[in-house]
């Protein structure tokens, strides 16, 4: 809980959730700030950046370890699991991207996307107050504010950053496969036909399509993970209510049952969301190879 409330009174449910939904935000002078508008490019969420980078390194180390220990003989469990995952991604890529040369880059990219997003999603499985409680003492002592969120994919700036990166890759492949002139012609000639009167409408439709795909790509992941994080906070409040109530046996039972059920269900959610983001990455880059 924030320092200003800690000594005054126990937080209400609303204060608890509001505090846990606040990012550790910094401006580019590395000063603690708080976002006041929906869109603000003068600051960044330091907690999301740090956890994203750490989990990205962890994912790369896992894949590197699997590649370093790979043998031609009977694989161990770890190698077999990574091989199954790699084959699954490669098979999905073959079904969408028919250019074998492009798959040499896109298939490893899709595998990295899946592992990275899965690890970021999996941070939601940690107890809600585990890392924030540790930061409650460490953060202010280091000169930071007492805010900490540990699920990078529950941060819209992270998921939109990922989807914008996919958009950039799609633009690169559009130019690489079709040429700058060919892609520019496609922007004004599709989807309604190559006629000068239709050029403005075609271009507008193309821009709407790129914008819609990018925004929905990031929003889908963010919405699911934000909702999951919020449910975990509500379940944690049941445990807090039991701890503060001498007769809250029902809250204790509900906390355990609801926490167990939601955690088991959320394992499917975090895996499915990583898979969907990976598949959309493959589909969008595959569309960049297709001529209209």
């Amino acid at each position: 809980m924030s320092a200003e409330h800690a000594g005054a009174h126990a937080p209400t449910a609303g204060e608890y959730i509001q505090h846990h939904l606040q990012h550790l935000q910094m401006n580019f002078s590395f000063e603690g700030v708080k976002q006041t508008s929906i869109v603000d490019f003068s600051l960044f969420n330091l907690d999301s950046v740090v956890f994203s980078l750490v989990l990205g390194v962890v994912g790369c180390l896992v894949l590197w370890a699997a590649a370093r220990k790979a043998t031609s003989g009977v694989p161990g469990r770890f190698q077999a699991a990574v091989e199954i995952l790699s084959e699954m991604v490669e098979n999905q890529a073959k079904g969408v991207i028919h250019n074998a040369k492009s798959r040499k880059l896109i298939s490893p990219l899709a595998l990295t996307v899946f592992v990275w997003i899965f690890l970021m999603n999996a941070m939601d499985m940690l107890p809600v107050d585990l890392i924030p409680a540790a930061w409650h003492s460490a953060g202010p002592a280091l000169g930071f504010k007492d805010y900490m969120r540990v699920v990078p994919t529950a941060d819209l700036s992270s998921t939109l950053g990922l989807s914008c990166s996919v958009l950039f890759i799609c633009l690169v492949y559009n130019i690489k496969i079709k040429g700058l002139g060919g892609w520019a012609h496609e922007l004004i000639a599709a989807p309604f036909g190559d006629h000068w009167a239709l050029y403005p409408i075609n271009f507008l439709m193309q821009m709407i399509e790129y914008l819609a795909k990018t925004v929905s790509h990031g929003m889908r992941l963010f919405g699911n993970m934000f909702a999951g994080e919020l449910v975990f906070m509500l379940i944690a409040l049941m445990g807090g209510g039991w701890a503060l109530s001498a007769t809250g046996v029902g809250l204790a039972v509900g906390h355990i049952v609801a926490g167990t059920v939601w955690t088991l269900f959320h394992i499917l959610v975090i895996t499915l969301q990583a898979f969907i983001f990976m598949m959309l990455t493959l589909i969008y880059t595959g569309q960049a190879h297709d001529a209209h």
Side-chain angles (χ1 to χ4, degrees):
M1 195 64 232
S2 58
E4 60 267 29
H5 291 296
H9 59 82
T12 64
E15 290 172 338
Y16 176 86
I17 292 177
Q18 186 176 17
H19 181 266
H20 278 64
L21 291 179
Q22 174 64 42
H23 285 281
L24 178 61
Q25 297 179 322
M26 313 289 289
N27 61 22
F28 291 95
S29 299
F30 220 70
E31 299 169 335
V33 293
K34 193 171 183 178
Q35 186 172 343
T36 56
S37 58
I38 297 176
V39 178
D40 190 346
F41 293 106
S42 66
L43 55 85
F44 61 95
N45 298 332
L46 180 61
D47 43 11
S48 294
V49 172
V50 170
F51 283 113
S52 296
L53 291 175
V54 170
L55 293 170
V57 172
V58 170
C60 290
L61 289 176
V62 169
L63 296 176
W64 172 79
R68 187 174 67 89
K69 296 180 179 180
T71 62
S72 57
V74 178
R77 294 178 181 178
F78 175 59
Q79 180 182 336
V82 175
E83 286 181 356
I84 291 172
L85 179 60
S86 300
E87 289 176 6
M88 181 272 292
V89 174
E90 180 64 25
N91 290 335
Q92 297 296 333
K94 287 180 180 178
V96 177
I97 302 168
H98 306 296
N99 187 318
K101 185 176 180 181
S102 295
R103 286 201 305 272
K104 291 182 179 179
L105 174 64
I106 296 175
S107 292
L109 171 67
L111 177 62
T112 304
V113 165
F114 178 84
V115 173
W116 191 20
I117 292 180
F118 175 82
L119 291 175
M120 289 192 287
N121 291 350
M123 293 296 288
D124 213 6
M125 307 296 288
L126 295 176
V128 171
D129 289 301
L130 180 62
I131 296 179
W135 186 253
H136 173 70
S137 300
L142 294 172
F144 294 98
K145 292 185 178 293
D146 183 23
Y147 298 117
M148 177 61 64
R149 291 182 68 181
V150 301
V151 187
T153 45
D155 179 4
L156 186 57
S157 60
S158 298
T159 58
L160 285 181
L162 289 168
S163 64
C164 286
S165 299
V166 174
L167 172 64
F168 175 75
I169 293 170
C170 291
L171 298 181
V172 169
Y173 272 102
N174 267 301
I175 297 173
K176 180 180 179 180
I177 300 298
K178 304 165 188 175
L180 183 59
W183 179 54
H185 181 263
E186 181 180 275
L187 288 177
I188 60 175
F192 297 121
D194 188 4
H195 189 279
W196 65 268
L198 297 174
Y199 287 169
I201 300 175
N202 287 331
F203 183 77
L204 178 62
M205 292 300 295
Q206 290 277 359
M207 294 301 103
I208 292 175
E209 179 183 355
Y210 279 115
L211 178 63
K213 288 193 298 187
T214 302
V215 172
S216 64
H217 199 188
M219 287 289 290
R220 181 182 292 104
L221 177 59
F222 161 74
N224 281 276
M225 297 313 302
F226 180 84
E229 185 182 37
L230 192 58
V231 171
F232 275 121
M233 291 180 190
L234 295 173
I235 294 173
L237 283 172
M238 295 174 66
W242 164 69
L244 296 173
S245 174
T247 59
V249 178
L251 290 175
V253 175
H255 173 73
I256 295 172
V257 173
T260 302
V261 172
W262 183 247
T263 299
L264 294 175
F265 175 73
H266 209 58
I267 294 173
L268 174 63
V269 172
I270 65 176
T271 306
L272 184 61
Q273 289 306 312
F275 178 78
I276 290 173
F277 197 96
M278 178 206 73
M279 281 303 304
L280 288 175
T281 299
L282 290 174
I283 291 171
Y284 293 158
T285 52
Q287 289 175 345
H289 289 68
D290 300 330
H292 292 281

